[in-house]
């Protein structure tokens, strides 16, 4: 009876307009939050380096080939880059000044040996477990991160010998060893592959091992800093790219492409989130205003119901349940449309070569639940105030 008295003779035009606005706002909000999260996750797990982390170096030109310009970084240049607004963290990459070669040390694969170049960075720039990325003299083996190109070369060698090629998992079980040397002495250290990288051309080793090698097998050639490991702040990739171009610096092309994709997409989705929040907010105000008008127009009826013995909480509950159903319809329709749109968007991304996780993100769904809750709470207090005022 209370529901029939309050809602049967109301003009629904304002309510329908507000529902359409909320529906569009919710749909855009959940979609933009979902894909902002997925875009930021893009590329994670494919490489051993941390997110937004890349290697930069000076471009090599004809002048540097003739030793007219330097390709190494001075301490002043390093500090200058560290103080740039786009830099989250930066560290020079340590390189070996001692001789080092890598060879197989297992009966599972034929003998293979090659002189190599090793580098080291702090663990904060990698996604390797800190417990696995440490070494002290006397340890059983040296943990290393192998460039994937090196594994391709090893498999090419295996194919030429007519033996089975080596997968990533199998390579981690194969025994390898380093030969460390200078003009006066040499030594051997067993090594174990703990990961692979597409971003670094050299073999990565813990900093403690690099310091040990440079100190134990010194040479007349001093180690120079020719590369830097840099983590770019979120949303600052454009500044970083412009800086590289102006200062004749470069980074690996695929890292730049991924970084640019994440930066551009992140900006677009952030703008869409802002628009969605404004749309949801304005539609919410219209719904709240509709509830206020509903109570105002039914002030006589509400006062009559109260005088007949109806409890204020009963009337308030009737109004709140009505709007909960309205919000549920809006939220349900938004999530349904999002699910359908997500299927087609994911297909388009896959066709474009962008592979992202196919599951739903908790935060995107939670945003609808939070907005639903805020609307309900605001309407409750709004209805309570209006009903009590009508007594």
């Amino acid at each position: 009876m209370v529901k029939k008295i309050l809602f049967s003779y109301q003009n629904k035009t304002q309510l329908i307009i507000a529902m359409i606005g909320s529906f569009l706002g919710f749909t855009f909000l959940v979609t933009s939050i979902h894909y902002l999260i997925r875009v930021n996750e893009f590329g994670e797990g494919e490489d051993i380096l941390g997110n937004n982390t890349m290697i930069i170096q000076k471009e090599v030109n004809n002048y540097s080939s003739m030793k007219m310009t330097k390709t190494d970084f001075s301490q002043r240049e390093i500090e200058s880059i560290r103080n740039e607004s786009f830099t989250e963290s930066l560290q020079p990459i340590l390189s070996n000044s001692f001789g080092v070669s890598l060879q197989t040390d297992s009966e599972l694969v034929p003998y293979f040996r090659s002189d190599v170049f090793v580098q080291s960075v702090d663990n904060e720039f990698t996604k390797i477990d800190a417990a696995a990325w440490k070494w002290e003299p006397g340890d059983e083996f040296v943990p290393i991160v192998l460039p994937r190109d090196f594994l391709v070369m090893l498999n090419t060698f295996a194919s030429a010998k007519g033996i089975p090629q080596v997968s990533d998992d199998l390579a981690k079980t194969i025994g390898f060893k380093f030969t460390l040397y200078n003009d006066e002495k040499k030594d051997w250290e067993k090594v174990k592959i703990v990961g692979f990288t597409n971003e670094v051309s050299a073999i990565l080793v813990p900093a403690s091992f690099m310091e040990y090698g440079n100190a134990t097998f010194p040479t007349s050639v001093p180690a120079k800093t020719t590369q830097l490991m840099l983590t770019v702040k979120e949303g600052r990739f454009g500044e970083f790219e412009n800086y590289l171009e102006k200062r004749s610096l470069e980074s690996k092309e695929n890292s730049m492409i991924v970084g640019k994709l994440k930066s551009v997409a992140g900006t677009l989705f952030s703008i869409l989130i802002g628009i969605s929040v404004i749309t949801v907010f304005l539609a919410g105000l219209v719904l709240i205003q509709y509830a206020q008008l509903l109570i105002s127009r039914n002030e006589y009826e509400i006062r009559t119901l109260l005088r007949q013995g109806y409890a204020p909480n009963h009337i308030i509950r009737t109004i709140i349940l009505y709007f909960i159903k309205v919000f549920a319809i809006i939220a349900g329709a938004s999530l349904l449309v999002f699910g359908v749109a997500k299927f087609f968007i994911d297909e388009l991304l896959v066709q474009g070569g962008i592979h992202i996780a196919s599951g739903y993100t908790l935060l995107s769904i939670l945003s609808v639940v939070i907005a639903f809750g805020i609307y309900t709470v605001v309407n409750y207090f709004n209805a309570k105030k209006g009903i009590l005022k009508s007594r």
Side-chain angles (χ1 to χ4, degrees), residues 42-61:
F42 181 66
E44 291 184 13
E46 296 181 1
D47 200 86
I48 211 73
L49 298 185
N51 299 332
N52 297 335
T53 298
M54 52 195 67
I55 296 172
I56 62 172
Q57 59 195 21
K58 292 185 177 181
E59 293 180 354
V60 178
N61 51 36

Side-chain angles (χ1 to χ4, degrees), residues 313-330:
N313 286 338
H314 178 69
I315 302 175
I316 294 170
R317 185 166 57 251
T318 302
I319 295 174
I320 293 303
L321 288 176
Y322 177 83
F323 281 100
I324 285 177
K325 292 178 182 178
V326 170
F327 296 150
I329 292 172
I330 295 170

Side-chain angles (χ1 to χ4, degrees), residues 6-206:
L6 295 177
F7 300 105
S8 295
Y9 306 103
Q10 297 300 318
N11 187 340
K12 299 293 195 301
T13 303
Q14 184 180 14
L15 176 63
I16 293 172
I17 293 174
M19 289 179 67
I20 293 173
S22 295
F23 162 73
L24 293 175
F26 277 155
T27 304
F28 290 142
L29 182 64
V30 68
T31 303
S32 54
I33 290 177
H34 173 81
Y35 283 103
L36 178 62
I37 294 171
R38 289 296 183 233
V39 165
N40 284 328
E41 291 175 348
F42 181 66
E44 291 184 13
E46 296 181 1
D47 200 86
I48 211 73
L49 298 185
N51 299 332
N52 297 335
T53 298
M54 52 195 67
I55 296 172
I56 62 172
Q57 59 195 21
K58 292 185 177 181
E59 293 180 354
V60 178
N61 51 36
N62 293 333
Y63 296 105
S64 55
S65 298
M66 294 184 289
K67 297 184 178 181
M68 296 177 64
T69 58
K70 294 182 178 181
T71 57
D72 58 309
F73 292 93
S74 66
Q75 189 60 38
R76 182 178 179 181
E77 289 173 318
I78 294 172
E79 290 302 321
S80 175
I81 299 174
R82 180 176 281 117
N83 293 329
E84 290 293 329
S85 59
F86 56 76
T87 302
E88 182 173 310
S89 55
L90 178 140
Q91 186 193 50
I93 297 178
L94 301 177
S95 302
N96 62 299
S97 61
F98 56 93
V100 57
S101 64
L102 178 68
Q103 67 185 63
T104 55
D105 187 28
S106 172
E107 297 180 355
L108 298 175
V109 292
Y111 177 78
F112 176 87
R113 179 185 178 278
S114 174
D115 287 333
V116 294
F117 183 59
V118 295
Q119 293 181 324
S120 178
V121 293
D122 282 348
N123 185 253
E124 67 173 292
F125 291 92
T126 72
K127 292 182 283 190
I128 309 173
D129 183 7
W133 193 242
K134 61 181 181 180
W135 180 86
E136 296 294 337
D139 284 355
E140 181 182 358
F141 58 81
V142 181
I144 66 171
V145 173
L146 198 67
R148 200 165 295 279
D149 290 343
F150 191 93
L151 185 61
V152 172
M153 181 177 67
L154 183 61
N155 280 327
T156 303
F157 174 79
S159 178
K161 292 293 184 179
I163 59 177
Q165 295 181 322
V166 179
S167 66
D168 288 7
D169 291 336
L170 182 58
K172 292 180 180 180
T173 65
I174 294 175
F176 289 90
K177 68 178 181 179
F178 276 148
T179 302
L180 314 179
Y181 62 90
N182 60 8
D183 293 335
E184 300 176 356
K185 56 182 178 178
K186 67 170 57 176
D187 195 7
W188 293 267
E189 292 286 348
K190 291 184 178 182
V191 302
K192 180 181 180 181
I193 300 172
V194 297
F196 298 90
T197 177
N198 292 311
E199 303 301 318
V200 185
S201 300
I203 295 175
L204 291 180
V205 298

Side-chain angles (χ1 to χ4, degrees), residues 135-385:
W135 180 86
E136 296 294 337
D139 284 355
E140 181 182 358
F141 58 81
V142 181
I144 66 171
V145 173
L146 198 67
R148 200 165 295 279
D149 290 343
F150 191 93
L151 185 61
V152 172
M153 181 177 67
L154 183 61
N155 280 327
T156 303
F157 174 79
S159 178
K161 292 293 184 179
I163 59 177
Q165 295 181 322
V166 179
S167 66
D168 288 7
D169 291 336
L170 182 58
K172 292 180 180 180
T173 65
I174 294 175
F176 289 90
K177 68 178 181 179
F178 276 148
T179 302
L180 314 179
Y181 62 90
N182 60 8
D183 293 335
E184 300 176 356
K185 56 182 178 178
K186 67 170 57 176
D187 195 7
W188 293 267
E189 292 286 348
K190 291 184 178 182
V191 302
K192 180 181 180 181
I193 300 172
V194 297
F196 298 90
T197 177
N198 292 311
E199 303 301 318
V200 185
S201 300
I203 295 175
L204 291 180
V205 298
S208 56
F209 176 78
M210 183 69 72
E211 294 167 359
Y212 165 81
N214 284 334
T216 308
F217 302 92
T219 63
S220 58
V221 181
K224 296 182 179 180
T225 302
T226 58
Q227 292 181 319
L228 304 175
M229 189 74 77
L230 185 147
T231 300
V232 183
K233 292 180 180 178
E234 290 286 350
R236 298 294 184 91
F237 189 82
E239 296 178 36
F240 169 67
E241 189 176 27
N242 291 335
Y243 184 87
L244 293 186
E245 185 176 349
K246 290 179 181 179
R247 300 301 178 99
S248 296
L249 301 174
E250 61 183 2
S251 184
K252 204 164 186 178
E253 186 66 24
N254 61 338
S255 297
M256 297 294 291
I257 293 173
V258 172
K260 186 181 295 185
L261 169 67
K262 293 172 69 172
S263 179
V264 172
T267 300
L268 291 177
F269 283 122
S270 296
I271 293 173
L272 185 56
I273 288 174
I275 296 173
S276 302
V277 169
I278 293 173
T279 304
V280 170
F281 177 73
L282 292 177
L285 288 181
V286 175
L287 284 172
I288 292 170
Q289 184 183 45
Y290 178 82
Q292 290 175 333
L293 289 174
L294 177 72
I295 296 172
S296 176
R297 290 170 180 172
N298 288 279
E299 186 175 355
Y300 173 77
E301 288 81 357
I302 293 172
R303 187 179 296 114
T304 302
L305 289 170
L306 291 172
R307 288 175 178 175
Q308 289 179 350
Y310 283 91
N313 286 338
H314 178 69
I315 302 175
I316 294 170
R317 185 166 57 251
T318 302
I319 295 174
I320 293 303
L321 288 176
Y322 177 83
F323 281 100
I324 285 177
K325 292 178 182 178
V326 170
F327 296 150
I329 292 172
I330 295 170
S334 299
L335 292 175
L336 179 62
V337 171
F338 163 66
V340 175
K342 177 182 175 300
F343 174 80
F344 291 103
I345 294 173
D346 286 352
E347 286 293 318
L348 290 174
L349 292 175
V350 170
Q351 291 176 14
I354 301 175
H355 298 273
I356 61 175
S358 59
Y360 292 89
T361 54
L362 177 62
L363 185 58
S364 61
I365 307 299
L366 193 61
S367 65
V368 176
V369 176
I370 292 173
F372 186 105
I374 292 174
Y375 275 178
T376 302
V377 171
V378 172
N379 261 312
Y380 170 77
F381 286 106
N382 181 63
K384 183 178 180 180
K385 180 181 178 181

